[in-house]
Amino acid sequence: QVQLGESGGGLVQPGGSLRLSCAASGSISNVGVMGWYRQAPGKQRELVAFITDTGSTHYADSVKGRFTISRDNAKNTVYLQMDSLKPEDTAVYYCNADVQLPTRRGTFGYWGQGTQVTVSS
């Protein structure tokens, strides 16, 4: 049973910082791409950033230069360091991971439960 556990959300003032964490646990053979998505009320879920198993990264234009994605492969954990936060960053943030299992062929996508990030003065 694979689960992604998220933490680190909260309320911050504009210009502040938060660090999100997401750890994959369970019976896992390999974790490929890991990423962060966000969804604001009434809006579609959008990709924020992703990182490959070799460390290549991609960022949405709206967060480039402010957010940093990283991972610890030994812990199957992905992080999102969010600096210079803006009110428009307010959303529920979800982590995602592509996972290979020891009992089934193929690659499967898993989602975290989401963590609320609110940027307000």
Side-chain angles (χ1 to χ4, degrees):
Q1 186 88 325
V2 176
Q3 294 190 161
L4 270 57
E6 298 185 34
S7 62
L11 173 65
V12 295
Q13 296 187 165
S17 297
L18 284 173
R19 191 189 192 214
L20 307 183
S21 300
C22 175
S25 62
S27 184
I28 297 169
S29 294
N30 183 67
V31 180
V33 174
M34 304 184 81
W36 290 94
Y37 292 72
R38 67 186 181 187
Q39 188 167 27
K43 298 182 180 179
Q44 297 236 97
R45 188 172 298 187
E46 64 175 351
L47 177 69
V48 176
F50 69 78
I51 182 168
T52 71
D53 54 353
T54 58
S56 297
T57 59
H58 170 83
Y59 298 91
D61 288 341
S62 59
V63 308
K64 194 171 297 183
R66 300 187 297 120
F67 291 10
T68 303
I69 190 170
S70 61
R71 65 191 288 166
D72 184 338
N73 289 334
K75 298 180 179 180
N76 286 333
T77 299
V78 62
Y79 306 93
L80 186 67
Q81 177 67 43
M82 304 185 294
D83 299 319
S84 301
L85 283 162
K86 304 175 180 179
E88 49 262 46
D89 296 318
T90 296
V92 177
Y93 284 70
Y94 299 89
C95 68
N96 174 267
D98 291 338
V99 176
Q100 292 180 304
L101 309 175
T103 57
R104 185 175 172 92
R105 65 191 302 176
T107 302
F108 303 87
Y110 289 86
W111 291 92
Q113 78 278 9
T115 185
Q116 177 71 48
V117 171
T118 302
V119 185
S120 177
S121 59

